[in-house]
Amino acid sequence: MSKLSKLPKARDIMKMYGIRAQENLSQNFIFDKNVTDKIVSKAGIKQNDSLVVEVGPGPGILTRSIIDTGVKNVVAVEKDKRFMSSLSLLSKESDDVLKVLEGDILTTDHKQFLQYLKEADQEAIHLIGNLPFNIATPLLMQWLSMASKKSGIFSKPNITMTLMFQMEVADRIVAAKSTPSRCRLSVMVQSVCEAKRVYQVPSKVFIPKPDINAAVVSLKPLTEPMLQSPIESLEQVSRYFFNQKRKTVRATFKKLHDEMHSLHKPLLLEIQENLNWNALMRPQDISTEQFCQLAKMFHEKGVVC
Ligand SMILES: C[S@@+](CC[C@H](N)C(=O)[O-])C[C@H]1O[C@@H](n2cnc3c(N)ncnc32)[C@H](O)[C@@H]1O
C-alpha cells in the first residue's frame, strides 16, 4: 500500500481547509482514486521516468496516482493558493518527488520544469492534467506552438501529453477528415501531434458534477514533422477555410481571390494550380497534410489570407 494513502482523503482536505469549488477556476474535482489511477495508466508513466508536469493538482488525488508510479520528479502547477498547504504536505510525504509551483500554467516559465532534466536526458516526460476547461484550448494551442518550434519543455524528445477535455473538444481534437467534428482544432493538433482519445470519463465522477462528460486525450508530438511552415501560417489558412465551412474549396479560393491585394492574385492562382485539389471538397474534407502543404505555399510566397 502506498504511504500516501495515510494522508487525509481529498474530501477531508476540502473540509479541513474550508475549500469550495470555484467556477472561475473551472474546478471540477475527481475524488475517486480508481479513476485517477486509470488516467495515469493511460499516460503510461513508468517508474524512473524523468518528469511529470501536472496542470492544476487541486486537492491532489491525480497527483497521488502520479507519485505512486515511482516517477523521479513531479512538478505540479496550481493557481489556487488555498491548496498550497495540503500540497506541501503531499510534497513532504513524497520525499520531495513532488514540487509545487503556485501560479498560472499559461505563464509559467518552462525553465522551472527543465531544471529537473539532465542535458542529455532521453527519458520520457509527461504533461498531464484534468484541465481547467476554461483554459484547456488556449493551453493546448500554446503547447502546440511550442512543440512546433521545439521550445520550452518541447525542446526535449519523448514527450507525451495526457489531458482531460470536455468530450466535445476531445472529439474535435481527434476528428479525422470528412467526419462531423472535423474543424480547425483537429487540423492544428494533428499537424503537430499524433492524437488519440484514450478514456471516456462520465460527468458523475466530478465534484461538482458538470453538465457534460469528459474524455482523456493522448497527444504525442510527431517524430517526422508534417508542418513545414510556421504554425501561425497554418492557423491563418485553416481559420480562413473553416470560417466558410459550407463553401467548396473552389468558392473559398474565389472569395480569397476577390478579397486579396492585386499583387497577390497571380500568386494565389499559381498556388491553386499547383495544389491540384478536388475543387468540390469542403474544408472538413481537406486532409491535415493538404492544409500543411497549403500553409507552406502561402508562407513561401508571402501570401496572407
Ligand atoms: C478540473 S480541476 C482538477 C483538479 C484536480 N487535478 C482533480 O483532478 O481533481 C482544475 C484545477 O486547475 C486549477 N487551475 C485553474 N486555472 C489554472 C491555471 N491557469 N493554472 C494552473 N492551475 C489552474 C484549478 O484551481 C483546479 O485545481
Side-chain angles (χ1 to χ4, degrees), residues 235-260:
E235 217 272 327
Q236 221 183 5
V237 168
S238 55
R239 183 184 293 280
Y240 192 87
F241 274 75
F242 278 104
N243 275 351
Q244 5 268 325
K245 222 177 159 180
R246 295 210 172 77
K247 284 202 167 86
T248 60
V249 162
R250 178 169 32 215
T252 303
F253 270 117
K254 180 169 181 326
K255 183 173 181 311
L256 185 54
H257 189 266
D258 293 346
E259 288 170 359
M260 242 173 199

Side-chain angles (χ1 to χ4, degrees), residues 142-162:
Q142 186 192 87
W143 282 355
L144 288 178
S145 172
M146 293 179 106
S148 74
K149 298 177 172 78
K150 296 201 186 312
S151 69
I153 193 74
F154 294 94
S155 57
K156 297 288 175 186
N158 209 359
I159 294 192
T160 309
M161 293 169 264
T162 308

Side-chain angles (χ1 to χ4, degrees), residues 28-29 32 51 66 96 177 205 225 256 273 278 281 284:
N28 299 97
F29 303 113
D32 182 342
L51 175 66
I66 298 167
D96 289 330
K177 72 171 182 134
V205 309
L256 185 54
E273 263 172 37
N278 173 359
M281 284 196 293
Q284 60 272 27

